[in-house]
Amino acid sequence: MPHDVALFVTCLTDQFYPHVGVAVTKILEHFGCRVHFPQAQTCCGQPFYNNGFHDQAATLGKRFIEVFEPYKYIVTPSGSCAAMVREQYEQLMKNDPAWSHPMHETVSKTYEFVEFLDKVLKVDFSQFKLPKPESITYHYTCHLRGIGVKDEGVKLLQQIGNVDFRAMEKTDQCCGFGGTFAMKYPAISGAIVEDKVACIAATEAKTLVCNDAGCSMNISGMCHRDGMAVQTRHIAELMAEAMGLETAAW
């Protein structure tokens, strides 16, 4: 029986990286999932929550629960949004008995993409290879670590043929994005991302894998300003390429 999966594409992926959503969908379908895209989905509420508008965040959270209730699994390419659902919905709805059960149901079935591949589908990418050798390093995003996802992405990457993996120093260090933190404290954010980019440069890798759209935008922007010829890609893009899947956005 195929796994019924609902894709939560997220705001940033939808607007800036739609091809990542296509890649995620095709990879899940390749591994036997029946992928659904609830068109009523909107935001998970994270921007409101991060800025202290918790009532508004709760409203969006309840809408999220209603939209995704029919599906067995919810999979998202964003560790940040997965963490919002998994870590903050409890705080937003803990005093609302009517939403306690559906909230816990939703939290328990929400997975970040790599996490789902590793823990639920238990995939093996050793049968696939990139068209040509590629030097790759990996950014461990803060929100992924927050939900317990650590080396799973690197493990899967290293299974793929033609991947020349380069470990990065300070893997546990933030890239400086932090949502609105980057706008409220630009000098601090800029210093943090400068340090992160220096660590990327030290690996001499040509590709950075980053599985959070906000972090990708922040890091790739600094790489561009520093004149670094490093491309930032989501792991799903590399996986799809190795699998020979077409991922041009519809």
Side-chain angles (χ1 to χ4, degrees):
M1 289 290 292
H3 291 294
D4 265 317
V5 172
L7 173 65
F8 173 42
V9 74
T10 80
C11 306
L12 290 182
T13 303
D14 181 48
Q15 294 299 313
F16 297 100
Y17 303 102
H19 53 284
V20 171
V22 175
V24 166
T25 299
K26 293 194 172 185
I27 292 166
L28 291 174
E29 288 176 341
H30 176 90
F31 287 113
C33 295
R34 185 186 294 117
V35 182
H36 307 266
F37 184 79
Q39 294 194 18
Q41 65 179 280
T42 54
C43 178
C44 64
Q46 184 178 182
F48 276 132
Y49 184 84
N50 289 347
N51 285 283
F53 298 100
H54 289 186
D55 289 344
Q56 292 87 341
T59 298
L60 281 173
K62 291 171 183 177
R63 175 181 171 79
F64 181 97
I65 290 168
E66 289 176 334
V67 168
F68 287 97
E69 186 276 332
Y71 306 100
K72 183 175 181 181
Y73 296 104
I74 305 163
V75 175
T76 177
S78 167
S80 175
C81 295
M84 175 65 193
V85 175
R86 296 251 292 269
E87 295 184 319
Q88 310 307 341
Y89 278 16
E90 172 74 36
Q91 297 300 314
L92 290 173
M93 301 174 210
K94 63 182 179 182
N95 297 320
D96 195 337
W99 286 92
S100 178
H101 178 71
M103 178 270 293
H104 284 109
E105 287 264 316
T106 299
V107 167
S108 68
K109 64 183 181 181
T110 299
Y111 291 84
E112 185 270 337
F113 172 65
V114 168
E115 179 186 34
F116 188 75
L117 292 181
D118 182 70
K119 294 183 179 178
V120 178
L121 299 184
K122 302 184 187 304
V123 298
D124 182 358
F125 277 89
S126 59
Q127 61 185 302
F128 305 112
K129 64 185 293 187
L130 293 173
K132 58 183 180 180
E134 190 163 347
S135 55
I136 297 171
T137 192
Y138 189 91
H139 173 55
Y140 291 69
T141 68
C142 302
H143 280 111
L144 277 177
R145 296 199 309 274
I147 59 173
V149 179
K150 297 178 181 178
D151 293 321
E152 290 86 346
V154 170
K155 180 187 77 174
L156 294 178
L157 269 179
Q158 291 179 310
Q159 291 175 356
I160 299 172
N162 277 337
V163 169
D164 173 16
F165 180 72
R166 313 276 182 90
M168 191 195 310
E169 288 188 47
K170 304 179 183 178
T171 56
D172 60 346
Q173 182 169 298
C174 177
C175 74
F177 178 59
T180 54
F181 175 85
M183 291 178 279
K184 292 179 178 177
Y185 306 100
I188 300 173
S189 174
I192 295 171
V193 73
E194 280 275 18
D195 195 34
K196 176 61 65 175
V197 166
C199 291
I200 296 167
T203 70
E204 299 184 349
K206 298 301 182 184
T207 297
L208 168 72
V209 169
C210 180
N211 298 337
D212 247 315
C215 301
S216 293
M217 295 172 73
N218 191 45
I219 295 171
S220 62
M222 183 55 73
C223 286
H224 175 74
R225 292 190 293 275
D226 281 359
M228 282 178 54
V230 174
Q231 61 174 340
T232 303
R233 305 180 73 186
H234 192 282
I235 195 171
E237 297 177 80
L238 285 164
M239 290 174 169
E241 183 180 1
M243 296 165 73
L245 302 175
E246 174 59 51
T247 61
W250 294 302

